[in-house]
Amino acid sequence: MLARHASHPRQTLVAVFVAWKALLLAVALGSAVAPSYDTSTTLMLRRNESDLSIVTRLTRWDALYFTQSARRGYQFEQEWAFNAALPLIVSVLVKGARLLGAEVDGTGALEAASGIVVAHAAHLFAALMLHELTLKLFSRRPLAFLSALLHILSPAGLFLSAPYAESLCAFFSFAGYYVLASISALPKGSLSWTGGQILAGAIFGLATASRSNGLLNGLPFAVECLMILPPLLASPTDLKVIAALFGPVTGGLLVATGFVVPQALAWLRYCSGASEPRAWCARAVPSIYSFVQEHYWGVGLFRYWTPSNVPLFILAAPVLGLLIVSGLDVMSRPSGLAQSPTAERQAPPRNGAASPLVFSMATTQVLLAVLAITTYHVQIITRIASGYAVWYWWVAGCLLDDGADGRRRGLGNKIVTFSVMYAAIQGVLFASFLPPA
């Protein structure tokens, strides 16, 4: 089947996607042979834990918060740690189902099922979008196919099937970068280029509304502003140069809207006119997200650096290392992916105008790894890394390397093996409500 990718890459990707999801869902159902670690799902859905139900097996950990938020909105303060895009989409789908006559039992089962559908659809669209993005940037069909295939087989596993926001964030991120790649060769400041910058920013804003790490997608706009700065300093009254700033500045602001708008809504609820404002209302930057992450989940600079969390750092080390090594390598030669590893080094890179964009994407990936090491719950890196394209390109490049010693290809094969094994093992743990999550 994989041999058909040259002539039918998208159909092959869909077929692999279906087969991989079938395997993961079978793993999830198979976990029902043992009792789950936690009963939160069965209490919420009012179901027996031994039921062979995909909804029951996939509504675990954070999925409970997303599902409840979709059912009745944000009711408790700690729920504001979970971004609104997925609950809003699920809520709209459930309302549509009600109009069509679907029965809603009020437990959140329909919301959970809808979230599972959204996660699967977003994951498939993300894989196809990554394929198109890679073609747009590098014009290498094998690289595009393998990169999309690697995204399907991501170590994130069931997190891209459950009612979680990772697949949505990945899709919107890849879509935003596709827009930026499409306009990379246009004259800066032109109407089409400016419109593309704004459109990409709006799409990235949806990624931020899905997951807060979507804010890192603002880096390409900052890079564009820095590139425009020298001519602006040289000719501060040049209207064309000033106009060129409008696109990236507006785009960057739109990236932030997915984060800022929920903070403003929370401030209106808990701070503005409240008889007993919450403690975070008096902060210089009154962000409920930052407070909730710190107060309820223990997130903060070096707060996760405790002896008891050493196993989690070890567990996250392979993905962290992959993000950093691949990111730094691509940062050092952002146009290198546009040609075969064994191609003549002096050959001019294709689509050189996109090199700053690729550099920004690689830098964003490295920043994510640094934040995971210093600030986040480090174990989540295996799932949030799914929305970053550079490491897929790098591994795909390894698999395509036909060097004499075969080291890079061997490394690529080992990474694929790790991804598949990790996703399968993690699938059993996740469906059984066992850590890490």
Side-chain angles (χ1 to χ4, degrees), residues 128-171:
L128 296 175
M129 182 57 68
L130 178 59
H131 180 267
E132 301 307 312
L133 169 63
T134 309
L135 280 178
K136 178 67 69 174
L137 284 171
F138 308 118
S139 301
R140 292 180 62 193
R141 293 183 182 277
L143 185 75
F145 176 78
L146 285 176
S147 298
L149 187 64
L150 288 167
H151 178 63
I152 292 173
L153 303 178
S154 167
L158 280 179
F159 286 104
L160 301 179
S161 301
Y164 271 68
E166 275 72 14
S167 55
L168 269 180
C169 185
F171 169 66

Side-chain angles (χ1 to χ4, degrees), residues 6-36:
S7 56
H8 302 90
R10 296 164 188 83
Q11 294 91 323
T12 304
L13 289 171
V14 172
V16 173
F17 178 88
V18 172
W20 177 243
K21 290 298 184 181
L23 174 62
L24 288 180
L25 294 180
V27 168
L29 288 175
S31 69
V33 299
S36 295

Side-chain angles (χ1 to χ4, degrees), residues 5 24 88 122 283 299 353:
H5 80 267
L24 288 180
L88 285 175
R283 292 184 174 182
V299 173

Side-chain angles (χ1 to χ4, degrees), residues 270-282:
Y270 293 102
C271 305
S272 179
S275 57
E276 296 183 7
R278 297 290 291 140
W280 58 269
C281 296

Side-chain angles (χ1 to χ4, degrees), residues 3 23 25 51 81 88 105 162 192 237 259 263 274 303 330 353 373 412:
L23 174 62
L25 294 180
D51 290 347
L88 285 175
D105 58 12
S192 297
T237 58
F259 181 81
Q263 308 310 301
R303 295 187 68 177
V330 173
I373 293 170

